[in-house]
Amino acid sequence: MQLNSIHLIGQIADLKDTDYKNTLAITVLIDLLIEKKIFTREEFAHKARELDTVSLSQLVSNRRLELLSNQK
């Protein structure tokens, strides 16, 4: 196995570890927010489905509109 291949395998392992840690952190945050009754699992699931159907540009546009309306 070439040194480049070994380096690439190491990078992939690092990414998997980073993905795991990020997923764990997000899961912990969601669980804490639910425990503190900030929102319910159902509300979270609904919002996740809603955002999954919207493009990134639509999300940015909607957020800008929300910020502008809150400034008034």
Coordinates of all heavy atoms in Angstrom, one line a residue:
M1 N 0.9 -1.2 0.0 CA 0.0 0.0 0.0 C 0.9 1.2 0.0 O 1.8 1.3 0.8 CB -0.9 0.0 1.2 CG -2.0 1.0 1.2 SD -3.2 0.8 2.6 CE -4.2 -0.4 2.0
Q2 N 0.6 2.2 -0.9 CA 1.4 3.4 -1.0 C 1.1 4.3 0.2 O 0.0 4.3 0.8 CB 1.1 4.1 -2.3 CG 1.5 3.4 -3.5 CD 1.2 4.2 -4.7 OE1 0.4 5.1 -4.7 NE2 1.9 3.8 -5.8
L3 N 2.0 5.2 0.4 CA 1.9 6.2 1.5 C 0.7 7.1 1.3 O 0.0 7.4 2.3 CB 3.2 7.0 1.6 CG 3.2 8.0 2.8 CD1 3.1 7.2 4.1 CD2 4.5 8.7 2.8
N4 N 0.4 7.5 0.1 CA -0.8 8.3 -0.2 C -2.1 7.6 0.2 O -3.0 8.2 0.7 CB -0.9 8.7 -1.7 CG 0.2 9.7 -2.1 OD1 0.7 10.4 -1.2 ND2 0.4 9.8 -3.3
S5 N -2.2 6.3 -0.1 CA -3.3 5.5 0.3 C -3.5 5.4 1.8 O -4.6 5.6 2.3 CB -3.2 4.1 -0.3 OG -3.2 4.1 -1.7
I6 N -2.4 5.2 2.5 CA -2.5 5.2 3.9 C -2.9 6.5 4.5 O -3.8 6.6 5.4 CB -1.1 4.8 4.5 CG1 -0.8 3.3 4.1 CG2 -1.1 4.9 6.1 CD1 0.6 2.9 4.5
H7 N -2.4 7.6 3.9 CA -2.8 9.0 4.4 C -4.3 9.2 4.1 O -5.0 9.7 4.9 CB -2.0 10.0 3.6 CG -2.2 11.4 4.0 ND1 -1.9 11.9 5.3 CD2 -2.7 12.4 3.4 CE1 -2.3 13.1 5.4 NE2 -2.8 13.5 4.2
L8 N -4.8 8.8 2.9 CA -6.2 8.9 2.6 C -7.1 8.1 3.5 O -8.1 8.7 4.0 CB -6.4 8.5 1.1 CG -7.9 8.6 0.6 CD1 -8.3 10.1 0.7 CD2 -8.0 8.1 -0.8
I9 N -6.7 6.9 3.9 CA -7.5 6.1 4.8 C -7.5 6.8 6.2 O -8.6 6.8 6.8 CB -6.9 4.7 4.9 CG1 -7.2 4.0 3.6 CG2 -7.5 3.9 6.1 CD1 -6.4 2.6 3.4
G10 N -6.4 7.4 6.6 CA -6.4 8.1 7.9 C -7.3 9.3 7.9 O -8.0 9.6 8.8
Q11 N -7.3 10.0 6.7 CA -8.2 11.2 6.6 C -9.7 10.8 6.7 O -10.5 11.4 7.3 CB -8.0 11.9 5.3 CG -6.7 12.7 5.3 CD -6.4 13.4 4.0 OE1 -6.8 12.9 2.9 NE2 -5.8 14.6 4.0
I12 N -10.0 9.7 6.0 CA -11.4 9.2 6.1 C -11.8 8.8 7.5 O -12.9 9.1 8.0 CB -11.6 8.0 5.1 CG1 -11.5 8.5 3.6 CG2 -12.9 7.3 5.3 CD1 -11.4 7.4 2.6
A13 N -10.9 8.1 8.2 CA -11.2 7.8 9.6 C -11.4 9.0 10.4 O -12.3 9.0 11.3 CB -10.0 6.9 10.1
D14 N -10.6 10.1 10.2 CA -10.7 11.3 10.9 C -12.1 11.9 10.7 O -12.8 12.5 11.6 CB -9.6 12.3 10.6 CG -8.3 11.9 11.2 OD1 -8.2 11.0 12.1 OD2 -7.3 12.5 10.7
L15 N -12.5 11.9 9.4 CA -13.8 12.4 9.0 C -15.0 11.7 9.7 O -15.9 12.3 10.2 CB -14.0 12.4 7.5 CG -13.3 13.4 6.7 CD1 -13.5 13.2 5.2 CD2 -13.8 14.8 7.0
K16 N -14.8 10.4 9.7 CA -15.9 9.6 10.4 C -16.0 9.9 11.9 O -17.0 10.0 12.4 CB -15.6 8.1 10.2 CG -15.9 7.6 8.8 CD -15.7 6.1 8.7 CE -16.0 5.6 7.3 NZ -15.9 4.1 7.2
D17 N -14.8 10.1 12.5 CA -14.8 10.5 13.9 C -15.4 11.9 14.1 O -16.2 12.1 15.0 CB -13.3 10.5 14.4 CG -13.3 10.7 15.9 OD1 -13.9 10.0 16.7 OD2 -12.5 11.6 16.3
T18 N -15.1 12.8 13.3 CA -15.6 14.1 13.3 C -17.2 14.1 13.1 O -17.9 14.7 13.8 CB -15.0 15.1 12.3 OG1 -13.6 15.1 12.6 CG2 -15.6 16.5 12.3
D19 N -17.6 13.3 12.1 CA -19.0 13.2 11.9 C -19.7 12.6 13.1 O -20.8 13.1 13.5 CB -19.3 12.3 10.7 CG -19.0 13.0 9.3 OD1 -18.9 14.2 9.3 OD2 -18.9 12.3 8.3
Y20 N -19.1 11.6 13.7 CA -19.7 11.0 14.9 C -19.9 12.0 16.0 O -20.9 12.2 16.6 CB -18.9 9.8 15.4 CG -19.3 9.3 16.7 CD1 -20.5 8.6 16.9 CD2 -18.6 9.7 17.9 CE1 -20.9 8.2 18.2 CE2 -19.0 9.3 19.1 CZ -20.1 8.5 19.3 OH -20.5 8.2 20.5
K21 N -18.8 12.8 16.3 CA -18.8 13.8 17.3 C -19.8 14.9 17.0 O -20.5 15.3 18.0 CB -17.4 14.4 17.5 CG -16.5 13.4 18.2 CD -15.1 13.9 18.3 CE -14.2 12.9 19.0 NZ -12.8 13.3 19.0
N22 N -19.9 15.3 15.8 CA -20.9 16.3 15.4 C -22.3 15.8 15.6 O -23.2 16.5 16.2 CB -20.7 16.8 14.0 CG -19.5 17.7 13.9 OD1 -19.0 18.3 14.8 ND2 -19.0 17.8 12.7
T23 N -22.6 14.6 15.2 CA -23.9 14.0 15.3 C -24.2 13.8 16.8 O -25.4 14.1 17.2 CB -23.9 12.6 14.6 OG1 -23.6 12.8 13.3 CG2 -25.3 12.0 14.8
L24 N -23.3 13.4 17.6 CA -23.5 13.3 19.1 C -23.8 14.6 19.7 O -24.8 14.7 20.5 CB -22.3 12.7 19.7 CG -22.4 12.5 21.2 CD1 -23.5 11.5 21.6 CD2 -21.0 12.0 21.8
A25 N -23.1 15.6 19.3 CA -23.4 17.0 19.9 C -24.7 17.5 19.5 O -25.5 18.0 20.4 CB -22.3 18.0 19.4
I26 N -25.1 17.3 18.3 CA -26.5 17.7 17.8 C -27.6 16.9 18.6 O -28.5 17.5 19.0 CB -26.6 17.6 16.3 CG1 -25.7 18.6 15.6 CG2 -28.1 17.7 15.9 CD1 -25.5 18.3 14.1
T27 N -27.4 15.7 18.7 CA -28.3 14.8 19.4 C -28.5 15.3 20.9 O -29.6 15.4 21.4 CB -27.9 13.3 19.4 OG1 -27.8 13.0 18.0 CG2 -28.9 12.4 20.1
V28 N -27.4 15.5 21.5 CA -27.4 16.0 22.9 C -28.1 17.3 23.0 O -29.0 17.5 23.9 CB -26.0 16.2 23.5 CG1 -26.0 16.9 24.8 CG2 -25.3 14.8 23.7
L29 N -27.9 18.3 22.1 CA -28.6 19.6 22.1 C -30.1 19.4 21.9 O -30.9 20.0 22.7 CB -28.0 20.5 21.1 CG -26.6 21.0 21.3 CD1 -26.1 21.7 20.1 CD2 -26.7 22.0 22.5
I30 N -30.5 18.6 21.0 CA -31.9 18.3 20.8 C -32.5 17.7 22.0 O -33.6 18.2 22.4 CB -32.1 17.4 19.5 CG1 -31.7 18.2 18.3 CG2 -33.5 17.0 19.4 CD1 -31.5 17.3 17.0
D31 N -31.9 16.7 22.6 CA -32.5 16.1 23.8 C -32.6 17.1 24.9 O -33.6 17.1 25.6 CB -31.7 14.9 24.2 CG -31.9 13.7 23.3 OD1 -32.9 13.7 22.5 OD2 -31.1 12.7 23.4
L32 N -31.6 17.9 25.1 CA -31.7 18.9 26.2 C -32.8 19.9 26.0 O -33.5 20.3 26.9 CB -30.3 19.6 26.4 CG -29.2 18.8 27.0 CD1 -27.9 19.6 26.9 CD2 -29.6 18.5 28.5
L33 N -32.9 20.4 24.7 CA -34.0 21.3 24.4 C -35.4 20.7 24.6 O -36.3 21.4 25.1 CB -33.8 21.8 23.0 CG -32.6 22.7 22.8 CD1 -32.4 23.0 21.3 CD2 -32.8 24.1 23.5
I34 N -35.5 19.4 24.3 CA -36.8 18.7 24.5 C -37.0 18.6 26.0 O -38.1 18.8 26.5 CB -36.8 17.4 23.8 CG1 -36.9 17.6 22.3 CG2 -38.0 16.5 24.2 CD1 -36.6 16.4 21.4
E35 N -36.0 18.1 26.8 CA -36.1 18.0 28.2 C -36.5 19.3 28.9 O -37.3 19.3 29.8 CB -34.8 17.5 28.8 CG -34.6 16.0 28.6 CD -33.2 15.6 29.1 OE1 -32.6 16.3 30.0 OE2 -32.7 14.5 28.7
K36 N -36.0 20.4 28.4 CA -36.3 21.7 29.0 C -37.6 22.3 28.4 O -38.0 23.4 28.7 CB -35.1 22.7 28.7 CG -33.9 22.3 29.5 CD -32.8 23.2 29.3 CE -31.5 22.8 30.1 NZ -31.7 23.0 31.5
K37 N -38.3 21.5 27.6 CA -39.6 21.9 27.1 C -39.5 23.1 26.2 O -40.5 23.9 26.1 CB -40.6 22.0 28.2 CG -40.8 20.7 29.0 CD -42.0 20.7 29.9 CE -42.1 19.5 30.7 NZ -42.0 18.2 30.2
I38 N -38.4 23.3 25.5 CA -38.3 24.4 24.5 C -39.1 24.0 23.3 O -39.7 24.9 22.7 CB -36.8 24.6 24.1 CG1 -35.9 24.8 25.4 CG2 -36.7 25.7 23.1 CD1 -36.2 26.1 26.2
F39 N -39.1 22.7 22.9 CA -39.9 22.2 21.9 C -40.1 20.7 22.1 O -39.4 20.1 22.9 CB -39.4 22.5 20.4 CG -38.0 22.1 20.2 CD1 -37.7 20.7 19.9 CD2 -37.0 23.0 20.1 CE1 -36.4 20.3 19.7 CE2 -35.7 22.6 19.9 CZ -35.4 21.2 19.6
T40 N -41.1 20.1 21.4 CA -41.4 18.7 21.5 C -40.7 18.0 20.3 O -40.3 18.6 19.3 CB -42.9 18.4 21.4 OG1 -43.3 18.8 20.1 CG2 -43.6 19.2 22.5
R41 N -40.6 16.6 20.5 CA -40.0 15.8 19.4 C -40.9 16.0 18.1 O -40.3 16.0 17.0 CB -40.0 14.3 19.8 CG -38.9 14.0 20.8 CD -38.6 12.5 20.8 NE -37.7 12.3 22.0 CZ -36.4 12.5 22.0 NH1 -35.8 12.9 20.9 NH2 -35.7 12.3 23.0
E42 N -42.2 16.1 18.3 CA -43.1 16.2 17.2 C -42.8 17.5 16.4 O -42.8 17.6 15.2 CB -44.5 16.1 17.6 CG -45.0 14.8 18.1 CD -44.5 14.4 19.5 OE1 -44.1 15.4 20.3 OE2 -44.4 13.2 19.9
E43 N -42.6 18.6 17.2 CA -42.3 19.9 16.6 C -41.0 19.8 15.8 O -40.9 20.4 14.7 CB -42.3 21.0 17.6 CG -43.6 21.4 18.2 CD -43.5 22.3 19.4 OE1 -42.6 22.1 20.2 OE2 -44.4 23.1 19.5
F44 N -40.0 19.2 16.5 CA -38.7 19.1 15.8 C -38.8 18.3 14.5 O -38.3 18.7 13.5 CB -37.7 18.4 16.8 CG -36.4 18.2 16.2 CD1 -35.5 19.2 16.1 CD2 -36.0 16.9 15.6 CE1 -34.2 19.0 15.5 CE2 -34.8 16.7 15.0 CZ -33.9 17.8 15.0
A45 N -39.5 17.1 14.6 CA -39.7 16.3 13.4 C -40.4 17.0 12.3 O -40.0 17.0 11.1 CB -40.4 15.0 13.7
H46 N -41.5 17.8 12.7 CA -42.2 18.6 11.7 C -41.3 19.6 11.0 O -41.3 19.7 9.8 CB -43.4 19.3 12.3 CG -44.1 20.2 11.4 ND1 -45.0 19.7 10.5 CD2 -44.1 21.5 11.3 CE1 -45.5 20.8 9.8 NE2 -45.0 21.9 10.3
K47 N -40.5 20.3 11.8 CA -39.6 21.3 11.2 C -38.5 20.7 10.4 O -38.2 21.2 9.3 CB -39.0 22.1 12.4 CG -38.2 23.4 11.9 CD -39.2 24.4 11.3 CE -38.6 25.7 11.0 NZ -39.5 26.7 10.4
A48 N -38.0 19.6 10.8 CA -37.0 18.9 10.0 C -37.6 18.5 8.6 O -36.9 18.7 7.6 CB -36.5 17.6 10.7
R49 N -38.8 17.9 8.6 CA -39.5 17.6 7.3 C -39.7 18.8 6.5 O -39.5 18.8 5.3 CB -40.8 16.9 7.6 CG -40.7 15.4 8.0 CD -42.0 14.7 8.0 NE -43.0 15.3 8.9 CZ -43.1 15.1 10.1 NH1 -42.3 14.2 10.7 NH2 -44.1 15.7 10.9
E50 N -40.1 19.9 7.1 CA -40.4 21.2 6.4 C -39.1 21.7 5.8 O -39.1 22.0 4.6 CB -40.9 22.2 7.4 CG -41.2 23.6 6.8 CD -41.6 24.5 8.0 OE1 -42.5 24.2 8.8 OE2 -41.0 25.6 8.0
L51 N -38.0 21.7 6.5 CA -36.7 22.2 6.0 C -36.1 21.3 5.0 O -35.4 21.8 4.1 CB -35.7 22.4 7.1 CG -36.1 23.5 8.1 CD1 -35.1 23.6 9.2 CD2 -36.3 24.9 7.4
D52 N -36.4 20.0 5.0 CA -35.9 19.0 4.1 C -36.4 19.3 2.7 O -35.8 18.9 1.7 CB -36.2 17.6 4.6 CG -35.4 16.6 3.8 OD1 -34.3 16.8 3.5 OD2 -36.0 15.5 3.5
T53 N -37.6 19.9 2.6 CA -38.2 20.1 1.3 C -37.9 21.5 0.7 O -38.3 21.8 -0.4 CB -39.8 20.0 1.4 OG1 -40.3 21.0 2.3 CG2 -40.2 18.6 2.0
V54 N -37.2 22.3 1.5 CA -36.9 23.6 1.0 C -35.4 23.7 0.6 O -34.5 23.1 1.2 CB -37.1 24.6 2.2 CG1 -36.8 26.0 1.8 CG2 -38.6 24.6 2.6
S55 N -35.1 24.5 -0.5 CA -33.8 24.6 -0.9 C -33.0 25.6 0.0 O -33.6 26.4 0.7 CB -33.7 25.1 -2.4 OG -34.1 26.5 -2.4
L56 N -31.7 25.6 -0.1 CA -30.9 26.5 0.7 C -31.2 27.9 0.4 O -31.3 28.8 1.3 CB -29.4 26.2 0.5 CG -28.4 27.0 1.3 CD1 -28.7 26.9 2.8 CD2 -27.0 26.6 1.0
S57 N -31.3 28.2 -0.9 CA -31.6 29.6 -1.2 C -32.9 30.1 -0.7 O -33.1 31.2 -0.3 CB -31.5 29.8 -2.8 OG -32.5 29.0 -3.4
Q58 N -33.9 29.2 -0.7 CA -35.2 29.5 -0.1 C -35.1 29.8 1.4 O -35.7 30.7 2.0 CB -36.3 28.4 -0.3 CG -36.7 28.4 -1.8 CD -37.6 27.2 -2.0 OE1 -37.2 26.1 -1.6 NE2 -38.7 27.4 -2.7
L59 N -34.3 29.0 2.1 CA -34.1 29.1 3.5 C -33.5 30.5 3.8 O -33.9 31.2 4.7 CB -33.2 28.0 4.1 CG -33.8 26.7 4.2 CD1 -32.7 25.7 4.7 CD2 -34.9 26.7 5.2
V60 N -32.4 30.9 3.1 CA -31.8 32.1 3.3 C -32.7 33.3 3.0 O -32.8 34.2 3.8 CB -30.5 32.2 2.4 CG1 -29.9 33.6 2.4 CG2 -29.5 31.2 2.8
S61 N -33.5 33.2 1.9 CA -34.4 34.2 1.6 C -35.5 34.4 2.7 O -35.8 35.5 3.1 CB -35.1 33.9 0.3 OG -36.1 34.8 0.0
N62 N -36.0 33.3 3.2 CA -37.0 33.3 4.2 C -36.5 33.9 5.5 O -37.1 34.7 6.2 CB -37.6 31.9 4.5 CG -38.4 31.3 3.4 OD1 -38.8 32.1 2.5 ND2 -38.7 30.1 3.4
R63 N -35.2 33.5 5.8 CA -34.6 34.1 7.0 C -34.4 35.6 6.9 O -34.7 36.3 7.9 CB -33.3 33.3 7.3 CG -32.6 33.8 8.6 CD -33.4 33.3 9.8 NE -32.7 33.7 11.0 CZ -33.3 34.2 12.0 NH1 -34.6 34.2 12.1 NH2 -32.6 34.5 13.1
R64 N -34.0 36.0 5.8 CA -33.8 37.5 5.6 C -35.2 38.2 5.8 O -35.2 39.3 6.4 CB -33.2 37.8 4.2 CG -31.8 37.5 4.1 CD -31.2 37.9 2.8 NE -29.8 37.5 2.7 CZ -29.2 37.1 1.6 NH1 -29.9 37.0 0.5 NH2 -27.9 36.8 1.6
L65 N -36.2 37.6 5.2 CA -37.5 38.3 5.4 C -38.0 38.3 6.8 O -38.5 39.3 7.3 CB -38.6 37.5 4.5 CG -38.5 37.6 3.0 CD1 -39.5 36.7 2.3 CD2 -38.7 39.1 2.6
E66 N -37.7 37.2 7.6 CA -38.0 37.2 9.0 C -37.3 38.3 9.7 O -37.8 39.0 10.6 CB -37.7 35.9 9.6 CG -38.6 34.7 9.2 CD -38.2 33.4 9.8 OE1 -37.3 33.4 10.7 OE2 -38.6 32.4 9.3
L67 N -36.0 38.4 9.5 CA -35.2 39.4 10.1 C -35.6 40.8 9.8 O -35.7 41.7 10.7 CB -33.7 39.3 9.7 CG -33.0 38.0 10.3 CD1 -31.6 37.9 9.7 CD2 -32.9 38.0 11.8
L68 N -36.0 41.1 8.6 CA -36.5 42.4 8.2 C -37.8 42.7 8.9 O -38.0 43.8 9.3 CB -36.6 42.5 6.7 CG -35.3 42.6 5.9 CD1 -35.6 42.5 4.4 CD2 -34.6 43.8 6.2
S69 N -38.7 41.7 8.9 CA -40.0 42.0 9.6 C -39.8 42.2 11.1 O -40.6 42.9 11.7 CB -41.0 40.9 9.3 OG -40.6 39.7 9.9
N70 N -38.9 41.6 11.7 CA -38.6 41.7 13.1 C -38.0 43.1 13.4 O -38.1 43.6 14.6 CB -37.7 40.6 13.7 CG -38.4 39.3 13.7 OD1 -39.6 39.3 13.8 ND2 -37.7 38.2 13.7
Q71 N -37.4 43.7 12.5 CA -36.7 45.0 12.7 C -37.7 46.2 12.7 O -37.5 47.3 13.1 CB -35.7 45.3 11.6 CG -34.4 44.4 11.8 CD -33.4 44.7 10.7 OE1 -33.7 45.4 9.7 NE2 -32.3 44.0 10.8
K72 N -38.9 45.9 12.1 CA -39.9 46.9 12.0 C -40.6 47.2 13.3 O -40.7 46.5 14.2 CB -41.0 46.6 10.9 CG -40.3 46.6 9.6 CD -41.3 46.2 8.5 CE -40.7 46.2 7.1 NZ -41.6 45.8 6.1

